[in-house]
Amino acid sequence: MRMRSSRVREGRYKPLKEARHEEALFRRRALAGFLIIVVCLVALGARFSFLQIARHEEFSARSDANRVLTRPLAPARGLIYDRNGVLLAENVAAFRLEITPEQVHDLAATIERLGEVVPISEDDVDRFNALRKGKRSYEGTPIRLKLSEEEIAKFSVNRWAFPGVDVVPYLTRSYPLGEEFAHTVGYVGRIDADDLAKLDKGEYAGTTHVGKTGIERYYEERLHGEVGYEKIEVNADHRPIGEPLFRVAPKPGENLYLSIDARLQEAAEAAFEGRAGAAVAIDPRNGEVLAMVSVPSFDPNLFVNGIASVDYAALIEADDKPLLNRLLRGNYVPGSTMKPFVGLGGLELGLRRPEDTVLSTGEFFIPGQSRAYRDDVRGGQGRVDLVQAIAKSVNTYFYSLALDMGIDRFSGFMTRFGFGQPTGIDLMGEGSGVLPSREWKRGRFNQPWYPGETVIAGIGQGYWVVTPLQLANAVSTLAARGVPHAPHLLRAVQRGVDAKIEPLPPPPPRENVIERPANWAAVQQGMLEVVRSGTARGIDAGFPYPIAGKTGTAERYSRTGTEWTSISASPIERHQVLFEAFTPADDARVAVIVALEAGRSGAHDAAPIARKILDAWLPGDQQRQAELGAGGSEGAASR
């Protein structure tokens, strides 16, 4: 009985123990679970606090980046005017097609389909790919510029099929006077891979064009301006929503006023009548370039939005080389235009006096040699002094003088007038020409110098090479009685639409290169006689001011049998011909040079062109002199 009752009690208490054990186990598990939950909540709270507090600015910026787009605003490029306010380069409103790469799923397929709606050439695609490398994926990159109204309408109808592609307004460059200023003002072109490597990407964000040649390139920093930006709210498709949230307006580039006179430039180009060559007109008092023409020229507007391959090939293959800037890179043998400088050198170095004479018999011989150096006139001109030698262009006088000078003193003196070196004009790509010297020949040919080479250097031939600008600079220095002024084009700037036009001071003159004024007077007298009784007589007929000038005829081409090797079809136009002049002779206000690649003589071909340029310059000068006279009279009356 006892055993039975004990078993009954054990059976009665066993479930009670198990229930207590399970309850304790549950409590332990619940506590553990609670602790885990607490730990997770604490961790979640810590993480939430870390993200919302410690990294708030970072994630806020990321959020804004998805919601707010920063868009660069390209500045308006500065305008370019001539000295009288004639517009030479302007900005014209146009539309372009832009693609934002990150919004396009298949870029190649999109461009291909886009080409079915708006014509897109291979050149357009190549330029697009080159530009895209320098931009961020969310920045728009132009693929077609200067859309027509018809093209805009076609794209607008199909706009839904091209996410990430937009028509964007912009300002494009235009050159109203076209060919007249192509080699001076230059042109802008699309930014390419080479440009991207040189330019500051921040400063050129949103800009598609940059100066390539001429003034456009040299003064790129002045013309470009400062980029602006705006913040705009966008939707999931990166489409703008409402007005910009914040905007910093771009600062337009400076407007430039050049020293060039558009009317004189036009007259100079017309005077050539299509003949290949160059002309320069400079104010000797300050170095301002009044006109500079290279013929033939080209239309710079072709290059602004990318020239077609066919058009470019036509310019490159043209026999008359319209892309060659003859002003800066043209190589001309100066011929007799050097004689006034050589004569002046003889006076300055004490080797000659103005009254000293030389006998011209038609031939000149270096002592001890049998080779004859000829005069232009068979039998010679008899005894001539400096004035007569310049007026009649007597070779013998300058053969003898150059030989007496020797090549070292000869080249040393010519350096004073800037020969053999760039003038420093505010344009890129200027050549140096060749000033004959012992050092130059040794460096070029590794050969010694011979006396015969000095003799022909005295008449501007042999190794001599000048650029038209270089010769104009030298003539300008001579016209200014030996005071060199660096030739320059920029005359004034305007920093803002309503700002005043600010004249810029010209570069300071350098030291006078002529030591004795009497020597200059003797050379000037010879150049006056050139147009009165010499090789260019009559060229001053009816002109109110005395003109000092000198012709040059450089025999560059030789005869093989009955054929002349020349760019000219006519055997009588086998020479390079030049003319240099300044007026008024006593107090020059303009110096002009004309260089033609083919002609009979400087007097026959180049001098008439120079006279037409002077005729075009004259009315403006007379008006300025009248205004100065009126101002002086008013000042005297007030005193």
Side-chain angles (χ1 to χ4, degrees):
M1 289 293 291
R2 288 181 181 174
M3 289 179 63
R4 187 176 180 180
S5 62
S6 64
R7 288 176 180 172
V8 172
R9 284 197 298 272
E10 287 177 4
R12 208 179 271 172
Y13 289 112
K14 187 175 182 179
L16 183 59
K17 290 179 179 180
E18 290 178 354
R20 289 177 178 173
H21 175 72
E22 290 177 359
E23 182 179 353
L25 181 62
F26 174 77
R27 288 177 178 174
R28 287 195 299 273
R29 288 177 175 175
L31 181 60
F34 177 75
L35 292 175
I36 291 172
I37 292 172
V38 169
V39 170
C40 289
L41 289 173
V42 170
L44 183 62
R47 181 63 176 171
F48 184 79
S49 298
F50 174 73
L51 294 177
Q52 291 295 318
I53 299 174
R55 300 183 65 183
H56 171 76
E57 293 184 3
E58 176 186 347
F59 288 106
S60 178
R62 289 189 183 184
S63 175
D64 286 342
N66 291 327
R67 181 182 64 86
V68 178
L69 178 66
T70 300
R71 185 163 60 184
L73 301 174
R77 193 171 181 84
L79 307 180
I80 302 176
Y81 298 90
D82 85 331
R83 66 188 300 121
N84 299 312
V86 176
L87 191 60
L88 307 179
E90 63 179 333
N91 302 317
V92 178
F95 293 88
R96 67 184 179 221
L97 206 59
E98 281 192 1
I99 297 178
T100 305
E102 78 167 9
Q103 300 177 28
V104 178
H105 176 65
D106 188 336
L107 189 57
T110 297
I111 293 175
E112 185 176 354
R113 289 188 296 109
L114 192 59
E116 298 173 0
V117 179
V118 176
I120 296 176
S121 67
E122 291 184 6
D123 291 340
D124 291 329
V125 177
D126 291 341
R127 281 189 289 263
F128 169 79
N129 289 328
L131 285 173
R132 189 163 60 92
K133 293 177 182 179
K135 288 178 172 283
R136 297 180 177 86
S137 61
Y138 62 80
E139 293 180 332
T141 303
I143 191 169
R144 253 298 304 277
L145 298 175
K146 216 167 184 180
L147 296 173
S148 66
E149 292 183 5
E150 182 180 356
E151 289 169 340
I152 295 172
K154 284 183 179 180
F155 176 77
S156 299
V157 172
N158 296 276
R159 171 69 187 82
W160 60 271
F162 297 98
V165 183
D166 288 297
V167 173
V168 178
Y170 75 109
L171 294 175
T172 187
R173 204 65 159 172
S174 177
Y175 303 99
L177 299 184
E179 296 185 5
E180 285 182 23
F181 287 88
H183 290 292
T184 305
V185 173
Y187 59 83
V188 300
R190 285 181 170 184
I191 294 175
D192 55 27
D194 292 336
D195 296 322
L196 288 172
K198 302 172 186 175
L199 298 174
D200 186 308
K201 293 180 180 179
E203 292 182 2
Y204 280 80
T207 301
T208 58
H209 289 68
V210 69
K212 297 286 187 178
T213 64
I215 289 291
E216 291 277 27
R217 180 181 177 186
Y218 192 90
Y219 288 111
E220 171 64 27
E221 291 186 8
R222 286 184 176 273
L223 289 164
H224 175 61
E226 297 178 8
V227 67
Y229 66 92
E230 64 181 6
K231 292 182 180 293
I232 55 173
E233 191 172 6
V234 295
N235 59 19
D237 294 326
H238 276 228
R239 299 286 173 205
I241 301 174
E243 296 296 321
L245 303 175
F246 183 75
R247 190 175 192 274
V248 174
K251 182 180 179 181
E254 297 177 5
N255 296 333
L256 306 185
Y257 287 80
L258 306 185
S259 59
I260 295 281
D261 185 330
R263 290 172 295 182
L264 185 60
Q265 182 91 350
E266 181 181 5
E269 184 179 37
F272 276 82
E273 298 179 349
R275 301 178 68 178
V280 183
I282 297 179
D283 187 337
R285 299 169 298 178
N286 50 31
E288 288 186 353
V289 178
L290 305 176
M292 52 191 309
V293 172
S294 177
V295 180
S297 188
F298 62 94
D299 184 1
N301 293 293
L302 293 173
F303 287 84
V304 174
N305 294 309
I307 187 171
S309 300
V310 175
D311 293 334
Y312 187 66
L315 291 172
I316 288 292
E317 296 168 5
D319 293 335
D320 53 6
K321 297 179 174 57
L323 293 180
L324 173 63
N325 190 335
R326 289 166 167 81
L327 297 158
L328 305 182
R329 306 292 298 177
N331 292 328
Y332 293 83
V333 177
S336 296
T337 58
M338 289 295 100
K339 289 176 180 177
F341 300 97
V342 177
L344 180 62
L347 300 177
E348 287 284 294
L349 296 174
L351 301 174
R352 293 286 189 278
R353 296 172 300 173
E355 62 272 18
D356 289 342
T357 61
V358 170
L359 178 62
S360 168
T361 63
E363 292 181 329
F364 174 81
F365 295 91
I366 297 175
Q369 295 186 12
S370 60
R371 177 184 173 181
Y373 297 87
R374 294 176 301 172
D375 258 325
D376 286 341
V377 177
R378 182 173 296 181
Q381 301 274 8
R383 285 210 166 269
V384 294
D385 60 14
L386 174 65
V387 172
Q388 294 168 325
I390 293 175
K392 298 179 181 180
S393 201
V394 181
N395 288 346
T396 296
Y397 183 96
F398 299 98
Y399 289 150
S400 172
L401 176 54
L403 188 63
D404 289 345
M405 291 174 72
I407 191 57
D408 296 328
R409 286 193 290 186
F410 180 94
S411 58
F413 181 79
M414 290 299 174
T415 302
R416 299 186 190 183
F417 289 88
F419 293 113
Q421 54 194 299
T423 66
I425 193 172
D426 40 353
L427 291 173
M428 300 285 193
E430 184 182 4
S432 299
V434 175
L435 171 60
S437 69
R438 197 183 307 275
E439 294 76 18
W440 176 86
K441 188 183 179 187
R442 178 67 67 181
R444 180 71 174 82
F445 299 108
N446 194 26
Q447 294 177 358
W449 189 266
Y450 299 106
E453 294 168 331
T454 304
V455 169
I456 59 175
I459 62 168
Q461 303 222 55
Y463 295 120
W464 265 109
V465 174
V466 298
T467 67
L469 182 63
Q470 204 172 50
L471 182 57
N473 180 50
V475 174
S476 176
T477 299
L478 184 61
R481 299 171 180 260
V483 179
H485 293 270
H488 58 279
L489 289 162
L490 186 59
R491 191 167 190 256
V493 298
Q494 184 182 30
R495 298 180 173 89
V497 177
D498 299 322
K500 292 183 178 180
I501 298 173
E502 305 172 27
L504 298 178
R510 297 188 294 275
E511 185 179 353
N512 197 315
V513 299
I514 299 177
E515 296 176 1
R516 290 183 286 277
N519 294 336
W520 177 88
V523 171
Q524 180 229 30
Q525 186 61 38
M527 295 181 72
L528 281 168
E529 289 301 320
V530 167
V531 300
R532 290 173 180 171
S533 61
T535 55
R537 59 186 173 275
I539 202 69
D540 62 341
F543 199 78
Y545 305 145
I547 299 174
K550 184 69 188 81
T551 56
T553 304
E555 299 179 2
R556 290 192 63 193
Y557 309 107
S558 61
R559 186 169 63 184
T560 304
T562 59
E563 298 293 327
W564 284 97
T565 304
S566 169
I567 60 173
S568 173
S570 171
I572 62 174
E573 295 186 348
R574 63 185 180 271
H575 310 303
Q576 278 190 343
V577 297
L578 306 95
F579 185 72
E580 61 191 17
F582 56 87
T583 191
D586 292 326
D587 186 18
R589 294 190 289 274
V590 66
V592 175
I593 72 97
V594 173
L596 284 172
E597 292 181 6
R600 298 182 185 184
S601 68
H604 183 274
D605 298 283
I609 294 176
R611 173 57 193 268
K612 290 179 181 179
I613 294 174
L614 291 177
D615 287 341
W617 165 83
L618 183 60
D621 179 75
Q622 289 178 327
Q623 180 180 350
R624 286 188 291 272
Q625 295 308 307
E627 291 172 352
L628 289 173
S633 299
E634 290 176 5
S638 65
R639 290 193 295 271

